[in-house]
Amino acid sequence: MKENFLKELTIICAEDSNTIRSFMQEHMGKAFKNFYALKDGQKALEFYKILRLKNIKIDAIISDIHMPNMDGIELLKEIRKLDEKIPFIFTTAYLEKEYLLEAIKLQATEYIIKPIDIDSAIKKIEKECRFIKQQETIEKQKKELERYLEVIDTVANISKTDLHGNITYVNENFCNVSKYKKEELIGKPHSIVRHPDTPIEVFKEMWHTISLGKVWKGKIKNRAKDDSSYFVNTTIIPQYDEDGENIVEYIAIRFVITDEENERREFKKRVMHNMSESRKEKKKHEEYIKELESKIENQKREKGNKILENKLSSEKRKIEKLNSQILFYEEEMKILNEKTENIIAISNEKLKETYSYAKDLKNTNLQLNFDIKKVSMELKDKNRELIKIQNRVVEQNKIIENLRDVIEHREAQLSEKKKS
């Protein structure tokens, strides 16, 4: 960490907790040139506007999300109305989905998770501020390059083509030398000014070089619309997209070197020397821009990694939330299991009682069956006895009948004897 760079930075912090605000002021106040800690978003916004009016540059804003008067999201909305690029870093103990989506929409730069690790927080602030600083430097260098090109445009023959060699731009000097009107050139292949005397190998080597992203330089003989010839010292520079990764067009800067054209345009050695110096200066700035673009690429990759780390942290927080839910459900399951175990224990007890009752009932049933069988057998025995008794009664009845007959016969005999 380069302390000199940090000592150039002015930071505004919005935090409603007195303890955290004092803690950040004490530790971060030593790291930066200026560190202003305010108690809510409204105070931070008002102070930000005051510093802007005094032309004091604010390099980054740190804000809690939940605050009275004006929360972090509202503060970010107001800041983005005034500055779309300033790094805005949230400090929060947790990330809620609705706040996260709103923060992303408003281009929140980074998050610092509470409790705050001061060293880690300072590194994040430094990285974001360095990234913005490098973007500003590149923008400044590009503007300087544009100014040099404007100077060159007054004395040089300039054209731009797409990746297929079709002309997309020509300056006035190009039209004057080639004797074509601008509308006759735009959209046409650059071979429209190619002279047949120039070997095809020259153009093959030129396209091979610029397709690799390298600058090509050489002398070319061209042909004007009226078939006249002219010679040009040509420099072709590949132009990249904003990310510095893909070539989007080619810009060609030519200086006419024919005697007739030199006399007509009254080129002087001093102008040529100035143009040469301009090319050197331009090349130096181009190299510096490429170096800065390379650094930005590294920064973007690091930032990409940081985004992945943020996503990973976000996923970890989601997992922690899910773990909390799982612990809650596990506790619920534990309670449910205890209730289930109680129910099972009660059921087992009742089952035991039922089993014991069933067992007793079975024993009782067996005893009853035994008793029934016993009674049945007794009944059978009694039936047999009854039958025997009945048989004896029948026999006795027969005996009685026989005795009645005998008695009646004897009475009849006695009656007859009395009569006689």
Side-chain angles (χ1 to χ4, degrees), residues 260-375:
E260 180 181 353
E261 189 64 18
N262 282 335
E263 289 176 3
R264 188 179 71 82
R265 295 185 62 82
E266 298 180 353
F267 274 175
K268 296 181 180 180
K269 289 183 179 181
R270 181 178 59 82
V271 175
M272 293 297 293
H273 174 73
N274 288 340
M275 291 305 99
S276 176
E277 290 299 315
S278 296
R279 286 198 296 274
K280 289 178 182 179
E281 190 69 17
K282 176 177 65 63
K283 183 178 179 181
K284 182 176 73 175
H285 284 292
E286 285 174 349
E287 291 173 351
Y288 185 52
I289 287 174
K290 286 184 179 180
E291 180 183 351
L292 288 176
E293 287 177 340
S294 175
K295 288 181 180 179
I296 280 189
E297 281 304 306
N298 293 332
Q299 287 286 339
K300 286 184 177 179
R301 283 194 288 273
E302 290 179 8
K303 192 169 184 181
N305 290 336
K306 182 52 63 181
I307 291 171
L308 292 177
E309 289 176 8
N310 288 339
K311 289 183 178 178
L312 180 60
S313 298
S314 177
E315 291 302 317
K316 285 182 178 179
R317 287 189 289 273
K318 290 179 184 177
I319 290 172
E320 289 174 0
K321 187 176 180 181
L322 290 174
N323 284 336
S324 298
Q325 292 177 347
I326 289 170
L327 290 174
F328 172 76
Y329 291 133
E330 285 179 347
E331 188 64 28
E332 290 292 312
M333 286 297 296
K334 184 179 178 181
I335 295 171
L336 184 60
N337 287 337
E338 289 176 355
K339 289 181 179 179
T340 303
E341 288 174 1
N342 290 334
I343 292 171
I344 291 172
I346 294 170
S347 299
N348 287 337
E349 191 63 32
K350 290 186 177 180
L351 186 61
K352 286 179 182 179
E353 292 176 1
T354 304
Y355 177 75
S356 178
Y357 177 74
K359 187 177 180 180
D360 293 342
L361 188 62
K362 182 179 179 182
N363 292 334
T364 302
N365 188 49
L366 289 173
Q367 185 63 42
L368 287 173
N369 285 335
F370 177 76
D371 292 343
I372 289 170
K373 285 181 181 179
K374 184 178 178 181
V375 170

Side-chain angles (χ1 to χ4, degrees), residues 70-192:
M70 178 183 287
D71 63 21
I73 296 296
E74 288 301 317
L75 174 60
L76 176 55
K77 286 181 181 179
E78 294 301 318
I79 292 296
R80 283 290 173 254
K81 292 177 183 178
L82 302 171
D83 191 329
E84 296 181 353
K85 294 182 179 180
I86 184 172
F88 196 103
I89 301 170
F90 277 122
T91 61
T92 181
Y94 55 91
L95 294 178
E96 295 179 9
K97 183 178 180 182
E98 58 178 303
Y99 290 108
L100 177 61
L101 293 175
E102 187 69 17
I104 291 173
K105 188 188 300 182
L106 295 170
Q107 298 179 4
T109 312
E110 184 58 90
Y111 288 91
I112 297 174
I113 304 300
K114 294 179 179 179
I116 297 172
D117 182 320
I118 291 296
D119 289 338
S120 175
I122 291 175
K123 287 178 181 178
K124 286 184 178 181
I125 296 168
E126 180 190 20
K127 181 177 289 186
E128 296 303 327
C129 291
R130 281 190 181 280
F131 180 73
I132 294 297
K133 184 71 173 178
Q134 287 175 347
Q135 283 188 323
E136 290 175 350
T137 301
I138 284 182
E139 188 65 28
K140 181 179 178 181
Q141 293 297 328
K142 283 186 175 180
K143 287 181 179 179
E144 288 182 2
L145 179 59
E146 287 175 1
R147 286 197 294 270
Y148 281 116
L149 289 176
E150 287 175 4
V151 173
I152 293 173
D153 187 65
T154 62
V155 292
N157 178 346
I158 298 175
S159 67
K160 294 181 181 179
T161 66
D162 60 22
L163 300 183
H164 304 291
N166 297 315
I167 298 172
T168 58
Y169 168 82
V170 290
N171 69 346
E172 186 177 350
N173 287 332
F174 188 100
C175 294
N176 291 336
V177 174
S178 67
K179 297 180 172 57
Y180 282 99
K181 294 179 180 179
K182 183 176 292 188
E183 55 268 24
E184 293 178 308
L185 294 169
I186 301 299
K188 297 295 192 304
H190 213 286
S191 57
I192 190 172

Side-chain angles (χ1 to χ4, degrees), residues 222-234:
N222 283 339
R223 181 168 61 183
K225 185 177 180 180
D226 62 0
D227 287 335
S228 60
S229 301
Y230 61 95
F231 290 87
V232 288
N233 271 334
T234 304

